[in-house]
Structure formats: structure tokens, C-alpha cells
Amino acid sequence: MQLTQPIILSYVQAELLLKAKQQGITSVQISPDLGLSTVIVTLTSEVIAFPNGEHIDWHSIEKISKSEVNCFILEDNAVRPIQVFSEYTNRVCSLMPTRGAPSMLIAGFVMHRIKDIDPMQDTLRKIAAISPIVGRVLDTATGLGYTAIEAAKTADEVVTIELDPGAQEIARLNPWSQALFHSPKIHHIMGDAYEVVQTFEDGSFARIIHDPPTFSLAGDLYSGAFYRQLFRVLKRGGRLYHYIGDPNSRASGGVTEGALKRLQEAGFARVVLKPEAYGVVAYK
Ligand SMILES: C[S@@+](CC[C@H](N)C(=O)[O-])C[C@H]1O[C@@H](n2cnc3c(N)ncnc32)[C@H](O)[C@@H]1O
């Protein structure tokens, strides 16, 4: 963990600390960055002391242990939930813990799969659907940046677009998103993907990762007009992965059917269902 990074905690670390306290243990190894690294903390009757000199009281740990929807940041020895109200979209964005990589909640909707899978495994399935990831990649919806970070491991360049400054603020505080801001291969654009994609040249991407929020939050990103733009900016021989949702659920099943039809109408030669990745892959 870098010294400049704030301490971020969730119920996972809080549970461990409460258990240690119950057992009368006075020092324990916990993660200050949601599972990426560990430090040894000292437990006293009043506080938990971190090696960097910061401390947190037991009342705050109780509070964190009860929250399944928020991760917390430690600032000046006090905790606050990682949550912002985005004036731009009028939506609340927050960092949501899991036992693995965290997800993001926007207006109450979870931005990754978390049931029987964690957001990182979810990401790897999305990426596997259009692997090998080569050349220039377009990532239409940055979110926490997991798809962009993973794609950047093998791509030449990743161009990623985010509409919501609130979502970007959450990503900046997420330990698991740090490569998004440090990778020289990742190029950020703030704006509406629907408009931004219109500015790209024909055939300028070898792969497109289209991972929009649910249909009810971002209908335009499932429209025929948008799919035509994605077709235009994709290279011949290129591949598009489009997250849609559980193909077996009534809501997403209907959206999948419509999306398949519109992708074909947009010009894609072949559109294949990828149930394991909760989406479809379209080939140009
Ligand atoms: C499902 S998340 C993306 C998850 C991301 N691929 C990851 O790996 O973490 C969807 C993101 O799209 C953003 N978004 C919503 N509408 C958008 C738009 N019109 N243009 C670009 N981004 C948009 C949301 O703010 C949210 O951060």
C-alpha cells in the first residue's frame, strides 16, 4: 500500500476486528485497502491504531460492520461512507463492498455482478468473451475501470468514457481502480458515450467493450442509432462485447432479444449470445 493512499474499510475488516477484540487479541493483520494488501494494527480498549499513526474508534467499527452497501474512508481519525450525490446526473453513487473487489451502486443499481460471483470474476468473463484483447480498445462506460484496466494488460491503448463525475470520484477512492488513473495506456474521456462515439473515426477500434448501466438508466446506449455508431467505429474483423444482464431473467431476456435484433440491423455480421458473460458478442 502506498503511504499516500487513504485507509478504506468495509464490513469484511470490521468483522475481523470485532472478532479479534472478542478474543482479547491485541494485534491483528487486516487490509487497509479492501483486500489488496495487509498491515498489522494494534487493538486497545478504545481504538484500533494503524502503523501510519491513524486510529479509529470501536463505535465506528460497529457501524462499518453493519453496512452491506458502503465502504468507508478514514480521514482525520473519523470514518465517512464513500458516497457522493452527483449533481450532474441527480444520482447517488457509492462504493459497495463485497468479499472480493468492490462494486459501485448508482441510484441503487449495482454496476457489477455480485451474486455467486465477484466483480473481478465478472470482469474477466466480459474480457474473455472477446479475447484476445488486441490493438486499440474502446470501453464505453468506465465505471470503476475494471474492464479498462484488464483490457489495458494486452491492448495497445484503451479509450474509456464516463458520463458521471460522481462515478469517477468513487473510482478515484477505490483501491482496486488505481491502475485506471496510473496506466499510461488508458485514455479518459468525460462525456456521454452516445455523443463521444460520434466523434471517432471509422474503423478506429479493434475491440469494443460496451458495459452500460441497466436499460432503465441508460436506454440510449441500447438503441439502434448507438449500435450503428459502434459498428462504424469498429474495424473490419473487430469484436464488440455488450453486457446486457442475465439472459434468463424476464427483464434482461427481453432486452437481450431486442438488442440482438438491433445489432444485426446495425450491420454486425454475426451476433452470438454469451450467457456466461451475461451479454452478447457481435462480429464485424
Ligand atoms: C456498469 S458500469 C461500468 C462498469 C465498468 N465497465 C467496470 O468495469 O467497472 C456503467 C458506467 O457507465 C456510466 N454511464 C452511464 N451512462 C453513460 C453514458 N451515456 N456515457 C458514458 N458512461 C455512462 C455510469 O456512470 C457507470 O459508471
Side-chain angles (χ1 to χ4, degrees), residues 89 91 93 104 106 110-112 123 126 139-148 161-164 167-168 191-194 209 211-214 217-218 220-221 243:
T89 52
R91 292 172 182 161
C93 307
M104 178 161 54
I106 298 184
V110 191
M111 292 292 124
H112 305 87
T123 301
K126 291 169 184 168
D139 179 51
T140 60
T142 312
L144 290 180
Y146 296 163
T147 46
I161 310 169
E162 174 57 59
L163 174 74
D164 193 339
Q168 183 98 146
D192 184 342
Y194 190 87
I209 301 161
D211 185 13
T214 183
L217 284 188
D220 278 0
L221 300 185
Y243 176 89

Side-chain angles (χ1 to χ4, degrees), residues 48-100:
I48 297 97
F50 285 84
N52 68 356
E54 289 196 79
H55 57 80
I56 177 170
D57 62 58
W58 285 104
H59 175 72
S60 301
I61 292 296
E62 292 276 357
K63 184 169 117 184
I64 296 172
S65 76
K66 292 189 183 111
S67 177
E68 291 196 348
V69 293
N70 279 116
C71 296
F72 294 77
I73 180 168
L74 181 59
E75 287 170 328
D76 300 327
N77 304 318
V79 292
R80 71 167 172 90
I82 298 181
Q83 181 165 305
V84 295
F85 174 74
S86 173
E87 308 246 335
Y88 188 77
T89 52
N90 270 333
R91 292 172 182 161
V92 175
C93 307
S94 60
L95 192 64
M96 180 190 192
T98 76
R99 293 196 179 269

Side-chain angles (χ1 to χ4, degrees), residues 26-207:
T26 55
S27 81
V28 67
Q29 182 168 304
I30 67 154
S31 178
D33 50 12
L34 304 177
L36 292 176
S37 68
T38 57
V39 291
I40 308 274
V41 295
T42 308
L43 279 49
T44 72
S45 55
E46 264 112 56
V47 298
I48 297 97
F50 285 84
N52 68 356
E54 289 196 79
H55 57 80
I56 177 170
D57 62 58
W58 285 104
H59 175 72
S60 301
I61 292 296
E62 292 276 357
K63 184 169 117 184
I64 296 172
S65 76
K66 292 189 183 111
S67 177
E68 291 196 348
V69 293
N70 279 116
C71 296
F72 294 77
I73 180 168
L74 181 59
E75 287 170 328
D76 300 327
N77 304 318
V79 292
R80 71 167 172 90
I82 298 181
Q83 181 165 305
V84 295
F85 174 74
S86 173
E87 308 246 335
Y88 188 77
T89 52
N90 270 333
R91 292 172 182 161
V92 175
C93 307
S94 60
L95 192 64
M96 180 190 192
T98 76
R99 293 196 179 269
S103 183
M104 178 161 54
L105 273 179
I106 298 184
F109 289 93
V110 191
M111 292 292 124
H112 305 87
R113 288 173 63 191
I114 53 168
K115 196 165 175 278
D116 303 325
I117 185 169
D118 73 30
M120 204 40 73
Q121 294 166 312
D122 173 40
T123 301
L124 295 177
R125 289 195 192 180
K126 291 169 184 168
I127 295 293
I130 50 164
S131 66
I133 301 279
V134 289
R136 200 162 174 246
V137 176
L138 169 63
D139 179 51
T140 60
T142 312
L144 290 180
Y146 296 163
T147 46
I149 293 168
E150 205 48 45
K153 290 182 180 167
T154 54
D156 293 339
E157 183 193 358
V158 178
V159 176
T160 184
I161 310 169
E162 174 57 59
L163 174 74
D164 193 339
Q168 183 98 146
E169 203 177 320
I170 299 297
R172 279 195 191 279
L173 288 175
N174 178 18
W176 290 72
S177 299
Q178 292 313 298
L180 181 63
F181 305 103
H182 299 131
S183 167
K185 283 194 196 170
I186 302 179
H187 177 65
H188 295 258
I189 300 178
M190 287 305 295
D192 184 342
Y194 190 87
E195 287 160 16
V196 174
V197 170
Q198 295 176 32
T199 67
F200 297 139
E201 284 179 19
D202 294 1
S204 48
F205 296 96
R207 296 285 184 273

